[in-house]
Amino acid sequence: MIYLRRLAPLILLFCGNQVSAHVSAEEQGTNSSPYVHSVKIPEDASPEDIIALAANVVPNRPQTLYHQDEFAGFIHFGPNTFTGVEWGNGMEDPNVFNPGSTLDTDQWCQIMKAAGMRKVIITVKHHDGFCLWQTRYNSTFSVRAIPWRDGKGDVLRELSDSCAKHGLKLGVYLSPADLYQIETPNGLYGNESSYRESTIPTEPGAFREDPTRVRRDRPSGAPTFQIKADDYNRYFLNQLYELLTEYGPIHEVWFDGAHPKRKGGQQYVKDQWFQMVRKLAPDAAIFGGPDLRWCGNEGGYTRASEWSVLPIQDQKTSGEDRPDAAPGSREALLSESYEVYGKHYDRNRLQYIVCEVNTSIRAGWFWRNEHEQSIRTADDVFDIYERAVGGNAGFLLNVPPNDRGLFSARDEACLREVGRRIRETYSADLAVGATVKADDGNVVSSLQDGDLATFWQPAGSEGALQIQLPTTKTLNRFIVQEAVATVGQRVKEHALDAWIGGDWQEVAKGTTIGHKKILRFPSISTDRLRIRIIDSRLQPSIAEFAAHYYRQPPPAVDIARNEQHAVVLSAASGGDDFKWNRRGARPKTPTVHTDVAIRYTLDGTEPTENSMLYERPIDLPDGGRLRARTFSKNQAGPIADVRLGISTEGWKVHSASSELADEHGAAMAFDGKPETYWQTAAGVNGREERHQIAIDLGRTIDVAGIRYLPSQDLELRDGMIAAGRVETSTDGSRWESAGRWSFGNLINDRGQRSHLFDQSRPARFVRVVVDATAEDRSFAGAAELEILAELNRQ
């Protein structure tokens, strides 16, 4: 067996200077160390040679620092916050951006810090092209162009100061796509300008006339860059230079690959982008570049096996999306090519590229409103945290500020609860003081010293460690880490055993480990554990381990109507109603609470242990506001807060423009089943006879609004009602208008939408008339339509 090891000083020195060494090694192929960040695959390499090369690929310094950050906040803020759309078009009035005097980046940082985040990344320029900082190169579509803060506002400056104050690292998102520069006359994107010798930073007044003139006010001692660039790349690099030299240390740079529109065959000089980041922000990991890659979805899904070593074609294409199911698997490494969205790439090198799991706390990247935009539960976010951070990835959670420049109350409550769970679960290691022995009986020390450069290795590709705890402990979480920065990621399969009832019992099993693996399992009580490495690429390493206990809160409350139209409350089974970017069900940690009481209120007050006890279905024919939560063992679950529509008992279809009766009849619009939906036969938008559905409520009642749930069929990307109007009637023949609505972002967010009337009115019949559908299709539909009574307006 091989026990505690440290790399020789020469190798450690090489790893610490990875950026400069990496370039020469790539260009000249002269690096003699077996441990490299990127390596060319020899033409005559055998499959086992390639796997051995992969086992010796290690992170560079920015990636090592990124691994340590683990959990970060994402900020999407801009004109979209005020227009309610996800992707702006670049033609917005810049004055729409106005958070007033309430913008408070200190509040953002305080809440993110409380959530356990260590870094924040802000979209200083999204795809619309609006700039949130005082850029010298755009005075017409930026904070310089608007009355807010008298044209001197600088969101990035305020956030930078707040990050320094609260101990958070700062990163910037600069979108390569730029609709303002595409759509504006004389815009720079795709203007087919020639590539000219340029100096960065460029004097703004000489940007086109003499691009070699150096900016007069560049920071003292800051370097200049000599490049060949067209107008847009020069613009982009000058803005990148501003961000990296004027806002304190930058620890992550985000280059998004999304493009709502292209023009003029615009190309990017990405190698120049990456070199500038390496020079001006040497500790910054580059997303969409050589350091960080997308996890393949925006819904919070993680892979069971996450390898950090991937095949690449070259540095320019290293940051291409990898949505594959297993981009670092043996099969991927040995294949001579790979594809991304149908584009072919040759496999020439192996490189360490870290997976980043990015998703949003809200249904959408930007804040839209408070009354209908759904947010994730703390259960959901904590689950993603454990799977991402505990699955060899970073977790980047978007928290969009509202139109007052603040994190909203629901977002704050969720984040603070997540932070509480992280601290309560992972601040104390239950294995402190344990004695560790290898399977040959020799004692192994320093695997709990917090130093990932000290590690244990067996002689072959498998081995085991026995852990004797000082006393019997109850636990349900176990952390194990490899020495990836020193000898690379190698473990292919591992398991955790516990000594229970006089014998070893396997309690958890996993595949890859990498920087960190969190094993989750039902609670056990034991004084002995065993880590088994079942298979590995070359010799595996174990650098750290820890044992923990998660005190799971009681589950949330599910609220639904039964076939008799009464309201039924139940402890949630592990799912939730957050549907944004959901692709099927994610596995959830089952609840451990078997004896749960549900308490509820109907007057808007917070449910307590003294509130009404739920014992039987609740009769609420006129709907109402219902708040409920579970209680178990002196713990309280999250509050479910819903405004129920009136009962659908007695409802029938009064009329419908058309229906696909066999599969999607009109009555499916109010059958209480979100998975079914009404869909019209195809028509032609713009006809005098619009798509419509009229419902006979079976009784006259004061109504105050409707709720609309679009189809939840993710394969159906259109036909959702984007704009329409509501009409009411007491006799089914004379109709009165109850207003019009416009629902944005239906394609990306299929959550429920609401339209409240200016005032309530008596009605027996309610008619929905379609004015426009998502993607302007010729048919329309609805999964569910709810009618709100007057008491639901609160």
Side-chain angles (χ1 to χ4, degrees), residues 266-510:
Q266 179 68 55
Q267 299 294 313
Y268 300 140
V269 291
K270 286 188 176 182
D271 52 345
Q272 302 292 328
W273 302 359
F274 302 159
Q275 287 179 24
M276 179 176 285
V277 175
R278 290 289 191 242
K279 182 71 174 180
L280 298 178
D283 287 344
I286 304 172
F287 182 94
D291 300 327
L292 309 177
R293 59 185 167 84
W294 190 43
C295 67
N297 68 88
E298 296 175 346
Y301 294 84
T302 53
R303 299 181 180 93
S305 300
E306 193 66 72
W307 290 100
S308 294
V309 180
L310 271 64
I312 67 168
Q313 179 169 285
D314 50 42
Q315 289 299 306
K316 280 186 179 181
T317 61
S318 59
E320 296 294 322
D321 287 349
R322 296 296 182 92
D324 317 49
S329 66
R330 177 185 175 90
E331 291 73 22
L333 297 184
L334 298 183
S335 175
E336 294 185 356
S337 64
Y338 59 96
E339 288 190 355
V340 178
Y341 305 137
K343 186 175 181 180
H344 179 88
Y345 295 88
D346 293 326
R347 178 215 62 182
N348 294 316
R349 309 185 65 86
L350 299 177
Q351 183 158 308
Y352 198 100
I353 309 179
V354 187
C355 175
E356 185 170 85
V357 176
N358 62 314
T359 190
S360 183
I361 196 172
R362 284 188 167 240
W365 290 110
F366 287 87
W367 180 90
R368 188 170 69 249
N369 56 44
E370 288 302 334
H371 63 276
E372 64 185 14
Q373 190 178 20
S374 61
I375 74 164
R376 295 184 185 275
T377 64
D379 287 341
D380 199 15
V381 175
F382 185 71
D383 171 57
I384 299 172
Y385 169 87
E386 290 193 311
R387 287 186 288 102
V389 174
N392 192 41
F395 182 22
L396 182 60
L397 179 66
N398 181 63
V399 189
N402 61 28
D403 57 357
R404 294 180 297 130
L406 299 170
F407 285 177
S408 296
R410 290 187 298 158
D411 307 62
E412 178 179 359
C414 175
L415 290 169
R416 290 190 181 278
E417 171 60 15
V418 169
R420 184 198 67 77
R421 295 187 193 187
I422 293 173
R423 288 188 298 274
E424 182 180 84
T425 305
Y426 293 107
S427 61
D429 179 8
L430 301 179
V432 168
T435 300
V436 184
K437 291 183 179 181
D439 47 9
D440 62 1
N442 288 303
V443 174
V444 181
S445 59
S446 300
L447 295 190
Q448 291 182 290
D449 60 359
D451 184 356
L452 292 175
T454 60
F455 55 94
W456 163 83
Q457 284 186 297
S461 61
E462 58 185 66
L465 293 170
Q466 290 192 27
I467 303 166
Q468 178 66 57
L469 304 178
T471 60
T472 297
K473 301 288 186 180
T474 299
L475 57 141
N476 53 24
R477 299 291 189 275
F478 190 84
I479 290 177
V480 61
Q481 297 181 266
E482 289 184 77
V484 293
T486 343
V487 295
Q489 183 187 5
R490 299 183 173 189
V491 175
K492 294 166 59 179
E493 186 178 2
H494 67 289
L496 178 70
D497 303 329
W499 187 261
I500 301 174
D503 200 1
W504 288 111
Q505 295 185 23
E506 183 178 285
V507 296
K509 195 171 186 177

Side-chain angles (χ1 to χ4, degrees), residues 203-217:
E203 178 63 30
F207 182 82
R208 280 178 163 166
E209 291 75 12
D210 183 9
T212 62
R213 190 183 304 174
V214 181
R215 203 183 83 205
R216 289 171 292 180
D217 63 343

Side-chain angles (χ1 to χ4, degrees), residues 707-767:
R707 281 210 184 100
Y708 168 66
L709 182 71
S711 165
Q712 301 300 292
D713 183 351
L714 298 179
E715 300 302 318
L716 187 70
R717 288 183 52 82
D718 46 33
M720 294 177 277
I721 304 174
R725 57 186 184 269
V726 181
E727 298 168 342
T728 62
S729 172
T730 56
D731 59 8
S733 59
R734 292 170 298 185
W735 298 89
E736 295 182 354
S737 173
R740 295 176 178 268
W741 79 80
S742 178
F743 297 143
N745 197 34
L746 288 164
I747 296 296
N748 292 312
D749 176 10
R750 295 170 184 256
Q752 192 175 55
R753 304 297 204 273
S754 300
H755 168 66
L756 299 181
F757 306 160
D758 290 337
Q759 60 183 21
S760 62
R761 74 267 320 281
R764 172 169 174 165
F765 302 87
V766 176
R767 182 163 67 186

Side-chain angles (χ1 to χ4, degrees), residues 13 69 73 144 255 274 408 467 471 490 496 567 593 695:
L13 180 63
D69 293 338
R144 292 181 61 193
F255 297 130
F274 302 159
S408 296
I467 303 166
T471 60
R490 299 183 173 189
L496 178 70
V567 178
H593 296 273
I695 302 172

